[in-house]
Amino acid sequence: CFAWCLLYTTMWWVARQLVQWDIVAVGFGPNSATVRAMVAVVISIISFLFIGVLDKFSDDIAGEAAEKALRSIIRSLGVLVGFSWEQAFAGGVEAIVEASVDDGMSD
């Protein structure tokens, strides 16, 4: 649940920024494959940085409950990275299918 919430909050924020800066008019909609891939890259980088920091904290913290909580957050960030790349690849497949239908390649 944590990973889904972070992913869709990020997607909402990106969509808001695209509209605010009028980048949608250029062709970069919030559901385009390019935007989804860039969101996945940014989420991956930020998550890996947070995972490194949280891992360092979990090594230094005494207490099993605190370490277990940090490990759960680290696992959730890993799932977030997976979800974001799944969305990026799904966007890529959609773009390929739309391009092949537009070119008359479908049966």
Side-chain angles (χ1 to χ4, degrees):
C1 183
F2 177 74
W4 276 114
C5 289
L6 280 177
L7 177 63
Y8 282 101
T9 301
T10 304
M11 292 297 290
W12 170 80
W13 183 82
V14 167
R16 185 170 178 249
Q17 295 304 313
L18 290 173
V19 171
Q20 181 178 356
W21 293 95
D22 202 27
I23 298 173
V24 175
V26 182
F28 292 106
N31 288 324
S32 69
T34 305
V35 172
R36 287 183 183 187
M38 291 307 298
V39 167
V41 168
V42 170
I43 284 176
S44 297
I45 292 169
I46 292 171
S47 293
F48 291 145
L49 292 173
F50 276 125
I51 287 170
V53 170
L54 291 174
D55 185 50
K56 179 66 176 153
F57 284 149
S58 71
D59 291 341
D60 295 339
I61 287 181
E64 191 172 322
E67 185 173 339
K68 188 175 180 180
L70 287 174
R71 294 290 174 192
S72 294
I73 294 171
I74 289 171
R75 276 192 286 284
S76 295
L77 289 172
V79 171
L80 171 65
V81 170
F83 283 160
S84 67
W85 281 106
E86 187 277 330
Q87 289 287 316
F89 285 111
V93 169
E94 288 174 15
I96 290 170
V97 169
E98 288 173 5
S100 63
V101 169
D102 291 342
D103 290 341
M105 294 175 60
S106 64
D107 292 344

